[in-house]
Amino acid sequence: MAKFVLAGRADCPYYAKAELLADYLQKNLPDFRVHKITQHPQVWEEWLKDLCEKNKWNHKKSPIIWRELLDRGGKGLLLGGYNEFLEYAQLYYGVTSSMTTELMKLIAQENLETHKEKELEEETRKDLIQPLQVWITSASGRVCYNLIPILTSGEVFGMHTEISLNLLGNKQAEEDLHIIMTEMRDLVAPLLRSISICTQVEDAFRQAHVIIILDENTDGEVYSLEDCIRSQLPPCRLYGYLIEKNAHDSVRVIVGGKTFVNLKTFLLMRYAPNVAHNIIAVALGVEGQARAALARKLRTTPSCIKNVIVWGNISGNNYIDLRKARIYRYESAIWGPPNYSRPVLSLIFDSEWVNRQYVETLKKLTATGKQFGAILAAHSIATTLKYWYHGSPPGEIVSLGVLSEGETCCTWRFDQFSALSISSESFRSDSSTHF
């Protein structure tokens, strides 16, 4: 079978004449096939140059015609331009073209108009498939650096959901943001439609579908409560205003980090009341630390321990509830199928360890935040978003920071600060709430 590729400038009369001849041959010869490519006159020369450099051809005019070697593989065999194609048709098939100059020009003009219509249709089609607008604050930090590859992998939003990343930071971090942007473009992630940076805070969260609020710094010690409130109140008030003003109506806001996560989430809810129902806090990092500590004690892997519940302040005073915790695939005298589990508390006979050492270890980790690193924070945020969009594992309890409706009291108090005093509608980290 002979397969030819006919490419040319959309307004080229000789392309039009070669096209008519190729259509005639394809219609009348069962083993003749042609594939046609048109390019806009403004991009034709650059496109032709790239094509010739790739295939090591020497051709300067429109059209260009080559034969695909279907039975041999490798690059195509250059035939030439219109004159060479006409000679080939006369020599091998005894066919020639008698198209007049006027008809050539008319068809060339029609080809250009058709090409423009196709380009417009393609742009319209792309616009209909709107990418998910994802905004990340404090994007120059290590958490964002570890988070972006997970978000663009398709594991979080789905393998068919394209996303546009918007990295928000201050002027001092602009160089770091450009480095991240360049690196992500070089990665050529299939689901990443675009990536941009924003250093003008008034432009933040425009048409955002997802907003990820990160800590300014994940390396240092956390502040005191009073200092944290003074430092977090202005940005949270501003972010809340911008979320209400600029973000999409169905925006989802997720707060992650290691410094007073409950406080920042509550402040965002206060200053963005219209989307408060879609603002949550990430508690999977604390849950992961609790499960890892249990796994070390029981000499198993953390993934085998499930249904550990975190109550209270995610990054402050909290209580790890093990009453529903289960362990799977545990090597002991009693063995069962993969879905067989046993209560964790029934396997830990050292009550002193559970009530004192275990609690003190987790309290120390929460107080300093030193072991809550960028990888753990990024993975916790990505997993929480995944569960939010696709549902958590069936039958499994997952920790999540949500607004309490009066079932439990908050473990930290604001009543000494009149601007932040709250009553029964406190904020909790409650794993009993499922996505």
Side-chain angles (χ1 to χ4, degrees):
M1 178 181 289
K3 179 180 178 182
F4 290 85
V5 180
L6 171 61
R9 205 175 65 242
D11 63 345
C12 175
Y14 291 99
Y15 172 84
K17 195 169 185 177
E19 179 187 25
L20 186 65
L21 178 58
D23 287 342
Y24 176 84
L25 293 173
Q26 181 170 253
K27 182 179 180 181
N28 292 277
L29 300 174
D31 292 333
F32 187 95
R33 293 291 180 269
V34 61
H35 174 66
K36 292 176 282 187
I37 302 173
T38 58
Q39 295 292 334
H40 195 280
Q42 294 179 354
V43 301
W44 162 253
E45 291 186 1
E46 188 68 26
W47 184 88
L48 179 62
K49 180 181 177 182
D50 292 340
L51 176 70
C52 291
E53 287 180 355
K54 178 181 178 181
N55 292 280
K56 295 181 172 57
W57 292 338
N58 183 18
H59 191 83
K60 304 294 184 182
K61 297 180 180 180
S62 173
I64 180 172
I65 305 165
W66 69 92
R67 182 174 178 178
E68 294 285 354
L69 304 178
L70 298 179
D71 57 338
R72 301 181 188 178
K75 68 178 183 179
L77 179 65
L78 178 64
L79 185 63
Y82 167 73
N83 291 332
E84 288 79 10
F85 182 55
L86 182 61
E87 290 176 5
Y88 183 91
Q90 291 172 339
L91 178 63
Y92 283 92
Y93 305 114
V95 178
T96 186
S97 175
S98 58
M99 182 185 293
T100 63
T101 302
E102 291 75 14
L103 184 58
M104 287 171 54
K105 293 180 178 180
L106 179 62
I107 295 178
Q109 184 62 34
E110 291 178 352
N111 283 341
L112 179 60
E113 292 175 0
T114 302
H115 181 82
K116 290 179 178 180
E117 290 176 1
K118 287 183 177 180
E119 285 185 333
L120 183 60
E121 289 176 1
E122 182 66 17
E123 290 298 324
T124 303
R125 186 187 67 82
K126 288 182 178 180
D127 290 340
L128 291 175
I129 308 174
Q130 291 290 345
L132 199 68
Q133 296 290 336
V134 180
W135 283 77
I136 305 176
T137 70
S138 306
S140 60
R142 293 175 56 225
V143 175
C144 179
Y145 191 83
N146 286 274
L147 178 62
I148 289 177
I150 308 177
L151 297 179
T152 57
S153 68
E155 296 179 9
V156 177
F157 303 111
M159 297 304 299
H160 302 288
T161 302
E162 293 185 340
I163 67 173
S164 289
L165 283 177
N166 303 273
L167 309 181
L168 179 62
N170 53 36
K171 279 288 186 180
Q172 291 75 17
E174 189 169 4
E175 183 177 351
D176 294 332
L177 294 176
H178 275 289
I179 293 174
I180 295 175
M181 182 174 66
T182 302
E183 190 168 347
M184 283 309 302
R185 284 174 175 170
D186 294 343
L187 187 61
V188 196
L191 297 177
L192 182 60
R193 174 78 72 84
S194 65
I195 182 169
S196 61
I197 64 174
C198 177
T199 56
Q200 301 293 330
V201 69
E202 61 271 14
D203 295 329
F205 313 138
R206 292 194 182 278
Q207 296 301 311
H209 297 105
V210 178
I211 298 174
I212 302 171
I213 307 293
L214 300 180
D215 286 334
E216 289 293 335
N217 189 343
T218 59
D219 296 324
E221 297 274 346
V222 298
Y223 305 107
S224 66
L225 178 58
E226 293 80 0
D227 290 339
C228 187
I229 291 176
R230 293 191 185 96
S231 64
Q232 294 301 321
L233 184 58
C236 286
R237 182 191 290 123
L238 178 59
Y239 282 172
Y241 166 76
L242 292 171
I243 290 171
E244 292 261 321
K245 177 185 176 184
N246 296 338
H248 195 275
D249 292 339
S250 61
V251 64
R252 303 186 186 192
V253 183
I254 183 168
V255 183
K258 68 178 184 179
T259 55
F260 295 95
V261 176
N262 284 37
L263 171 62
K264 290 185 288 188
T265 308
F266 173 76
L267 290 174
L268 287 172
M269 289 178 171
R270 184 181 182 92
Y271 293 110
N274 292 328
V275 296
H277 61 285
N278 264 358
I279 301 177
I280 65 172
V282 178
L284 286 182
V286 179
E287 180 189 316
Q289 290 177 328
R291 291 166 64 181
L294 290 171
R296 289 192 295 269
K297 178 67 175 179
L298 295 172
R299 297 182 180 180
T300 185
T301 57
S303 62
C304 293
I305 298 175
K306 302 182 184 299
N307 299 348
V308 173
I309 302 174
V310 181
W311 295 96
N313 194 339
I314 296 170
S315 52
N317 295 324
N318 53 55
Y319 172 71
I320 307 299
D321 189 348
L322 302 180
R323 290 175 296 174
K324 294 183 179 294
R326 311 284 298 186
I327 184 168
Y328 294 77
R329 303 187 299 277
Y330 186 63
E331 295 184 7
S332 64
I334 302 176
W335 191 257
N339 60 348
Y340 173 74
S341 64
R342 301 172 67 185
V344 168
L345 291 177
S346 69
L347 299 173
I348 301 178
F349 304 104
D350 188 354
S351 59
E352 181 72 12
W353 182 88
V354 174
N355 296 324
R356 294 191 61 182
Q357 188 175 343
Y358 179 62
V359 173
E360 290 175 0
T361 299
L362 295 179
K363 185 176 181 180
K364 184 178 180 180
L365 290 175
T366 303
T368 61
K370 285 184 176 179
Q371 295 190 31
F372 196 85
I375 295 177
L376 177 59
H379 183 268
S380 302
I381 293 168
T383 304
T384 302
L385 276 172
K386 177 183 176 181
Y387 291 166
W388 201 355
Y389 272 84
H390 304 290
S392 55
E396 184 175 332
I397 299 174
V398 177
S399 294
L400 169 71
V402 296
L403 187 66
S404 171
E405 296 179 355
E407 297 91 337
T408 182
C409 292
C410 195
T411 55
W412 37 267
R413 295 172 58 85
F414 291 106
D415 51 342
Q416 64 267 42
F417 303 101
S418 58
L420 295 174
S421 61
I422 56 176
S423 56
S424 61
E425 226 183 37
S426 54
F427 192 80
R428 70 182 180 190
S429 168
D430 183 1
S431 46
S432 63
T433 299
H434 288 272
F435 294 95

